[in-house]
Amino acid sequence: MAQFRLQGSKVLAVDMTGDAVKAKNGAMVAYDGRMTFKKMTGGGDGLRGMVTRRLTGEQMEVMEVKGHGTCYFADRASEINLVQLHGEKLYVEASNLLCTDAALRTGTTFTGLRGASQGNGLFTTTVEGSGQAAIVSDGPAVVLRVTKQYPLQVDPGAYVAHTGDLKQHFQSGVNFRTFIGEGSGESFQIRFEGEGLVYVQPSERNTVGGEL
């Protein structure tokens, strides 16, 4: 299996001995050894995946990298976070997924209005199986634990990914700036309940609710 490691916080190095990984198209910045690169259809899920992604609006351009040596990946100097999966499922915005072990299964799932955090619709990308994935964030991501006793409220513009047995509720009419009188227009937040981890970035993307 390919070995993931960070070179600093903004470059992912993947050591391969005949292994393969799936990475965001165009994310390779350097490599040594012998590598092959192949663009994959439908985010790596074939024709069915391509159709599903077109219907849901969850866009994901993926390439397969295979060979012997080390390949280096980066995405616009974004911070990189490694996620180790042991049979569970990772939910992540497509634009935040940098690279995964080739054995991990990627797909698209309905997540309700939470998926509207980037204005892309009601769906998000899933990564499932055993292996490593690398996700990117605008600034160092904070990993927050959710328990049954302590649910978590998240600004949709700061959400990156989550794992675990979590339920999501997309709430309107309130956000963090509303509390201090700086809100304007309709505002939203996501409430996570259950047991799991949520990855939050210290920067906010534009959302369908305007400025959050």
Side-chain angles (χ1 to χ4, degrees):
M1 183 176 292
Q3 299 298 313
F4 287 35
R5 55 187 173 87
L6 294 180
Q7 294 282 96
S9 62
K10 299 181 180 180
V11 176
L12 171 69
V14 181
D15 301 315
M16 289 180 276
T17 56
D19 316 283
V21 296
K22 292 184 288 188
K24 180 181 290 189
N25 198 33
M28 187 277 293
V29 294
Y31 72 91
D32 58 45
R34 293 178 288 109
M35 299 286 172
T36 60
F37 302 87
K38 181 175 69 174
K39 186 174 181 179
M40 304 182 74
T41 301
D45 300 304
L47 181 59
R48 181 179 178 182
M50 180 174 64
V51 172
T52 300
R53 293 181 186 281
R54 285 183 177 177
L55 290 174
T56 62
E58 182 75 351
Q59 301 299 320
M60 184 180 174
E61 296 292 334
V62 173
M63 62 179 177
E64 180 189 67
V65 183
K66 185 176 183 180
H68 292 77
T70 302
C71 196
Y72 300 87
F73 302 95
D75 184 18
R76 296 171 296 179
S78 298
E79 298 283 334
I80 300 173
N81 311 269
L82 297 183
V83 181
Q84 182 69 52
L85 297 177
H86 300 281
E88 68 267 42
K89 186 179 292 186
L90 170 72
Y91 298 82
V92 58
E93 298 286 0
S95 61
N96 293 101
L97 183 59
L98 178 65
C99 186
T100 72
D101 283 320
L104 291 174
R105 301 181 299 278
T106 54
T108 305
T109 189
F110 178 78
T111 56
L113 289 174
R114 193 221 48 75
S117 62
Q118 287 185 301
N120 288 342
L122 309 180
F123 298 82
T124 197
T125 294
T126 59
V127 182
E128 187 175 8
S130 295
Q132 281 195 294
I135 59 178
V136 296
S137 57
D138 187 1
V142 177
V143 185
L144 302 175
R145 181 170 295 278
V146 182
T147 66
K148 293 179 180 179
Q149 293 79 16
Y150 296 99
L152 180 70
Q153 318 288 333
V154 176
D155 189 313
Y159 169 84
V160 174
H162 75 270
T163 60
D165 184 16
L166 293 176
K167 293 182 180 180
Q168 306 163 64
H169 305 282
F170 198 73
Q171 300 175 335
S172 63
V174 63
N175 75 353
F176 304 110
R177 293 181 186 175
T178 303
F179 296 144
I180 57 175
E182 295 184 1
S184 61
E186 187 71 4
S187 52
F188 305 91
Q189 67 178 211
I190 315 164
R191 180 182 175 89
F192 289 94
E193 298 177 348
E195 299 280 348
L197 301 174
V198 179
Y199 293 77
V200 178
Q201 64 184 12
S203 177
E204 298 175 73
R205 63 175 71 85
N206 292 329
T207 69
V208 295
E211 292 187 0
L212 295 187

